Amino acid sequence: MSTNSKKLIGIIGAMKVEIDDVKSHVENPVIESFSGIDFVRGTIDGVDVVVAMCGIGKVFAAMCAQTMILKYSPTIVVNIGVGGSLSKNLNIGDIAIANALCQHDMDTSAVGDPIGLVSGVNMVCFPCCKNVVKLFEECAEKAGLHSETGIIASGDVFVSDTVRKRFIVDNFDAISCEMEGAAIAQVCYVNDVEFGVIRAISDNGDENGGRDYENALEVASDAAMKMIYEFLKA
């Protein structure tokens, strides 16, 4: 973790719609490019930030998080974006707050491992910073957004069928699914950097997921933006 006395918040989103508004609020921006990723360093309302769009999927997410940590030494890394609901309590526009993250497509169970186990660190779930989780919960309330806290599951697949949805719920008890968060969590964990992940719900992870996602993407992204601005104020 960074030893700087002043906190630097790293903010990562996968897509333009998830992160461009945040980038536009960075004051006195300095842009540097590493590994094909643009990192925007500056301040938002007096808070030191570095903001990046990683791209879709776990590999891009891990590349971005590792590069951000090595180049900028953020105190906290926050991953924002949209995701599918796996919970009856989360509807489109609501907020899923991760208290831990897992990879639902990681599977070496054929050799006796638990489904989702990440070899090398021997963990299925990577726990988020408790203070960050609590702060996100308070931010959702202040922003007037309904939220639920629980496990968010990541994988290199857009979940859009009830069979896969049930598999993720049954094996990980997850409340939301997406494609980047757990990779960022793993990178932060091995680098001893605190992290938090939120997802605004864009679909229900079922057979209507693709259509719902296209219709609700902007609404869900706006909800995620409200959360990050409340977080930075706090």
Side-chain angles (χ1 to χ4, degrees), residues 30-75:
V30 176
I31 302 174
E32 296 181 289
S33 182
F34 304 105
S35 301
I37 301 169
D38 290 336
F39 294 85
V40 183
R41 174 73 186 270
T43 61
I44 297 178
D45 293 332
V47 179
D48 288 330
V49 298
V50 56
V51 184
M53 183 184 78
C54 63
I56 296 171
K58 292 191 299 179
V59 174
F60 276 133
M63 286 171 53
C64 183
Q66 184 67 44
T67 303
M68 179 179 284
I69 290 168
L70 291 177
K71 295 293 184 179
Y72 298 97
S73 299
T75 314

Coordinates of all heavy atoms in Angstrom, one line a residue, residues 30-75:
V30 N -3.6 15.3 -16.2 CA -2.4 14.9 -16.8 C -2.6 13.5 -17.3 O -2.9 12.6 -16.6 CB -1.2 14.9 -15.9 CG1 0.1 14.4 -16.6 CG2 -1.0 16.3 -15.4
I31 N -2.5 13.3 -18.7 CA -2.8 12.0 -19.3 C -1.5 11.3 -19.7 O -0.7 11.8 -20.3 CB -3.7 12.1 -20.5 CG1 -5.0 12.9 -20.1 CG2 -4.0 10.8 -21.1 CD1 -5.9 13.2 -21.3
E32 N -1.4 10.1 -19.2 CA -0.2 9.2 -19.6 C -0.8 7.9 -20.1 O -1.8 7.4 -19.6 CB 0.7 9.0 -18.4 CG 1.4 10.2 -17.8 CD 2.3 9.9 -16.7 OE1 1.7 9.6 -15.6 OE2 3.5 10.0 -16.8
S33 N -0.1 7.3 -21.0 CA -0.5 6.0 -21.6 C 0.5 4.9 -21.3 O 1.7 5.1 -21.6 CB -0.7 6.2 -23.1 OG -1.2 5.0 -23.7
F34 N 0.0 3.9 -20.8 CA 0.9 2.7 -20.5 C 0.1 1.4 -21.0 O -1.1 1.3 -20.6 CB 1.2 2.5 -19.0 CG 1.9 3.7 -18.4 CD1 1.2 4.6 -17.6 CD2 3.2 4.0 -18.7 CE1 1.8 5.7 -17.0 CE2 3.8 5.1 -18.2 CZ 3.1 6.0 -17.3
S35 N 0.7 0.6 -21.7 CA 0.1 -0.7 -22.1 C -1.2 -0.4 -22.9 O -2.2 -1.2 -22.8 CB -0.1 -1.6 -20.9 OG 1.1 -1.9 -20.3
G36 N -1.3 0.7 -23.6 CA -2.4 1.0 -24.4 C -3.6 1.5 -23.6 O -4.7 1.7 -24.1
I37 N -3.4 1.9 -22.3 CA -4.4 2.4 -21.4 C -4.1 3.8 -21.1 O -2.9 4.1 -20.7 CB -4.6 1.5 -20.2 CG1 -4.9 0.1 -20.5 CG2 -5.6 2.1 -19.2 CD1 -4.9 -0.9 -19.4
D38 N -5.0 4.7 -21.2 CA -4.8 6.1 -20.8 C -5.2 6.3 -19.3 O -6.3 6.0 -18.9 CB -5.7 7.1 -21.7 CG -5.2 7.2 -23.1 OD1 -4.0 6.9 -23.3 OD2 -6.0 7.5 -24.0
F39 N -4.3 6.8 -18.6 CA -4.5 7.1 -17.2 C -4.6 8.6 -17.0 O -3.6 9.4 -17.4 CB -3.3 6.5 -16.3 CG -3.3 5.0 -16.3 CD1 -2.6 4.4 -17.3 CD2 -3.9 4.3 -15.3 CE1 -2.6 3.0 -17.4 CE2 -3.9 2.9 -15.3 CZ -3.2 2.3 -16.3
V40 N -5.7 9.1 -16.4 CA -5.9 10.5 -16.2 C -5.7 10.9 -14.8 O -6.5 10.4 -13.9 CB -7.3 10.9 -16.7 CG1 -7.5 12.4 -16.5 CG2 -7.6 10.5 -18.1
R41 N -4.6 11.6 -14.5 CA -4.3 12.0 -13.1 C -4.7 13.4 -12.9 O -4.4 14.3 -13.7 CB -2.8 11.8 -12.9 CG -2.3 12.3 -11.5 CD -2.7 11.3 -10.4 NE -2.3 11.9 -9.1 CZ -1.2 11.7 -8.5 NH1 -0.3 10.9 -9.1 NH2 -0.9 12.2 -7.3
G42 N -5.3 13.7 -11.7 CA -5.7 15.1 -11.4 C -6.5 15.1 -10.1 O -6.2 14.3 -9.2
T43 N -7.4 16.0 -10.0 CA -8.2 16.1 -8.8 C -9.7 16.2 -9.2 O -10.0 16.7 -10.2 CB -7.9 17.3 -7.9 OG1 -8.1 18.5 -8.6 CG2 -6.4 17.2 -7.4
I44 N -10.6 15.7 -8.3 CA -12.0 15.9 -8.4 C -12.5 16.5 -7.1 O -12.4 15.8 -6.1 CB -12.8 14.6 -8.8 CG1 -12.4 14.1 -10.1 CG2 -14.3 14.9 -8.8 CD1 -13.1 12.8 -10.6
D45 N -13.0 17.7 -7.1 CA -13.4 18.4 -5.8 C -12.3 18.3 -4.8 O -12.6 18.0 -3.6 CB -14.7 17.8 -5.3 CG -15.9 18.0 -6.2 OD1 -15.8 19.1 -6.9 OD2 -16.8 17.2 -6.3
G46 N -11.1 18.5 -5.2 CA -10.0 18.5 -4.2 C -9.4 17.2 -3.9 O -8.4 17.1 -3.1
V47 N -10.0 16.1 -4.4 CA -9.5 14.7 -4.1 C -8.6 14.3 -5.2 O -8.9 14.4 -6.4 CB -10.7 13.7 -3.9 CG1 -10.2 12.3 -3.7 CG2 -11.7 14.2 -2.9
D48 N -7.4 13.8 -4.8 CA -6.5 13.3 -5.8 C -7.0 12.0 -6.4 O -7.3 11.0 -5.6 CB -5.1 13.1 -5.2 CG -4.4 14.4 -4.9 OD1 -4.6 15.3 -5.6 OD2 -3.6 14.4 -3.9
V49 N -7.0 11.9 -7.7 CA -7.5 10.7 -8.4 C -6.6 10.3 -9.6 O -5.9 11.2 -10.1 CB -9.0 10.9 -8.9 CG1 -9.9 11.2 -7.7 CG2 -9.1 12.0 -9.9
V50 N -6.7 9.1 -9.9 CA -6.2 8.6 -11.2 C -7.3 7.7 -11.8 O -7.8 6.8 -11.1 CB -4.9 7.9 -11.1 CG1 -4.9 6.7 -10.2 CG2 -4.4 7.5 -12.5
V51 N -7.7 8.0 -13.0 CA -8.9 7.4 -13.6 C -8.5 6.7 -14.9 O -7.7 7.2 -15.7 CB -10.0 8.4 -13.9 CG1 -11.3 7.8 -14.5 CG2 -10.3 9.3 -12.7
A52 N -9.0 5.5 -15.1 CA -8.7 4.8 -16.4 C -9.9 3.9 -16.8 O -10.6 3.4 -16.0 CB -7.5 3.9 -16.1
M53 N -10.0 3.8 -18.2 CA -10.9 2.8 -18.8 C -10.0 1.6 -19.2 O -9.1 1.6 -20.0 CB -11.5 3.4 -20.0 CG -12.5 2.5 -20.7 SD -13.2 3.1 -22.2 CE -11.8 2.8 -23.4
C54 N -10.4 0.4 -18.5 CA -9.5 -0.7 -18.7 C -9.9 -1.6 -20.0 O -9.0 -2.2 -20.5 CB -9.6 -1.6 -17.5 SG -11.2 -2.3 -17.1
G55 N -11.1 -1.5 -20.4 CA -11.6 -2.4 -21.4 C -12.3 -3.6 -20.8 O -12.3 -3.8 -19.6
I56 N -13.0 -4.3 -21.6 CA -13.9 -5.4 -21.1 C -13.2 -6.7 -20.9 O -12.4 -7.1 -21.7 CB -15.1 -5.6 -22.1 CG1 -15.9 -4.3 -22.2 CG2 -16.0 -6.8 -21.7 CD1 -17.0 -4.4 -23.3
G57 N -13.5 -7.3 -19.7 CA -12.9 -8.6 -19.4 C -11.8 -8.6 -18.4 O -11.2 -7.6 -18.1
K58 N -11.5 -9.8 -17.9 CA -10.6 -9.9 -16.7 C -9.2 -9.6 -17.0 O -8.5 -9.1 -16.2 CB -10.8 -11.3 -16.1 CG -12.1 -11.6 -15.4 CD -12.1 -12.9 -14.6 CE -11.8 -14.1 -15.5 NZ -11.7 -15.3 -14.7
V59 N -8.7 -9.9 -18.2 CA -7.3 -9.7 -18.6 C -7.1 -8.2 -18.7 O -6.1 -7.7 -18.1 CB -7.0 -10.4 -19.9 CG1 -5.5 -10.0 -20.3 CG2 -7.0 -11.9 -19.7
F60 N -7.9 -7.5 -19.4 CA -7.8 -6.0 -19.5 C -7.8 -5.4 -18.1 O -7.1 -4.5 -17.8 CB -8.8 -5.4 -20.4 CG -8.5 -5.5 -21.8 CD1 -9.4 -5.9 -22.8 CD2 -7.2 -5.1 -22.3 CE1 -9.1 -5.9 -24.1 CE2 -6.9 -5.1 -23.7 CZ -7.9 -5.5 -24.6
A61 N -8.8 -5.9 -17.3 CA -8.9 -5.3 -15.9 C -7.7 -5.5 -15.1 O -7.3 -4.6 -14.4 CB -10.2 -5.9 -15.3
A62 N -7.1 -6.7 -15.1 CA -5.9 -7.0 -14.4 C -4.7 -6.2 -14.9 O -4.0 -5.6 -14.0 CB -5.6 -8.5 -14.5
M63 N -4.6 -6.0 -16.2 CA -3.5 -5.2 -16.7 C -3.6 -3.8 -16.2 O -2.6 -3.2 -15.8 CB -3.6 -5.2 -18.3 CG -3.2 -6.4 -19.0 SD -3.6 -6.4 -20.7 CE -2.8 -4.8 -21.2
C64 N -4.8 -3.2 -16.2 CA -5.0 -1.9 -15.8 C -4.7 -1.7 -14.3 O -4.0 -0.7 -14.0 CB -6.5 -1.5 -16.1 SG -6.9 0.3 -15.8
A65 N -5.3 -2.6 -13.5 CA -5.1 -2.4 -12.1 C -3.6 -2.6 -11.7 O -3.1 -1.8 -10.9 CB -5.9 -3.5 -11.3
Q66 N -2.9 -3.5 -12.3 CA -1.5 -3.7 -12.0 C -0.6 -2.5 -12.4 O 0.2 -2.0 -11.7 CB -0.9 -5.0 -12.6 CG 0.5 -5.3 -12.3 CD 0.7 -5.7 -10.8 OE1 -0.1 -6.4 -10.3 NE2 1.7 -5.1 -10.2
T67 N -0.9 -2.0 -13.6 CA -0.2 -0.8 -14.1 C -0.5 0.4 -13.2 O 0.4 1.1 -12.9 CB -0.6 -0.6 -15.6 OG1 -0.3 -1.7 -16.4 CG2 0.2 0.6 -16.1
M68 N -1.7 0.6 -12.9 CA -2.1 1.7 -12.0 C -1.4 1.7 -10.7 O -0.8 2.7 -10.2 CB -3.6 1.7 -11.8 CG -4.1 2.9 -10.9 SD -5.9 2.9 -10.7 CE -6.4 3.6 -12.2
I69 N -1.3 0.5 -10.1 CA -0.6 0.3 -8.8 C 0.9 0.6 -8.9 O 1.5 1.3 -8.1 CB -0.9 -1.1 -8.2 CG1 -2.4 -1.2 -7.8 CG2 0.0 -1.4 -7.1 CD1 -2.8 -2.6 -7.5
L70 N 1.5 0.1 -10.0 CA 2.9 0.2 -10.2 C 3.3 1.7 -10.5 O 4.4 2.2 -10.0 CB 3.5 -0.7 -11.2 CG 3.4 -2.2 -10.9 CD1 3.9 -3.0 -12.1 CD2 4.3 -2.5 -9.7
K71 N 2.5 2.3 -11.3 CA 2.8 3.7 -11.8 C 2.4 4.8 -10.8 O 3.0 5.8 -10.7 CB 2.2 3.9 -13.1 CG 2.8 3.0 -14.2 CD 4.2 3.3 -14.5 CE 4.8 2.5 -15.7 NZ 6.2 2.8 -16.0
Y72 N 1.3 4.6 -10.1 CA 0.7 5.7 -9.3 C 0.6 5.4 -7.8 O 0.3 6.3 -7.1 CB -0.7 6.0 -9.9 CG -0.6 6.5 -11.3 CD1 -0.8 5.6 -12.4 CD2 -0.2 7.8 -11.6 CE1 -0.7 6.1 -13.7 CE2 -0.2 8.3 -12.9 CZ -0.4 7.4 -14.0 OH -0.3 7.8 -15.3
S73 N 0.7 4.2 -7.4 CA 0.6 3.8 -6.0 C -0.6 4.3 -5.3 O -0.6 5.1 -4.3 CB 1.9 4.3 -5.2 OG 3.0 3.7 -5.7
P74 N -1.8 4.0 -5.8 CA -3.1 4.5 -5.2 C -3.3 3.9 -3.8 O -2.8 2.8 -3.5 CB -4.2 4.0 -6.2 CG -3.6 2.8 -6.8 CD -2.1 3.1 -7.0
T75 N -3.9 4.7 -3.0 CA -4.2 4.2 -1.6 C -5.4 3.2 -1.7 O -5.4 2.2 -1.0 CB -4.6 5.4 -0.7 OG1 -3.7 6.5 -0.9 CG2 -4.7 5.0 0.7

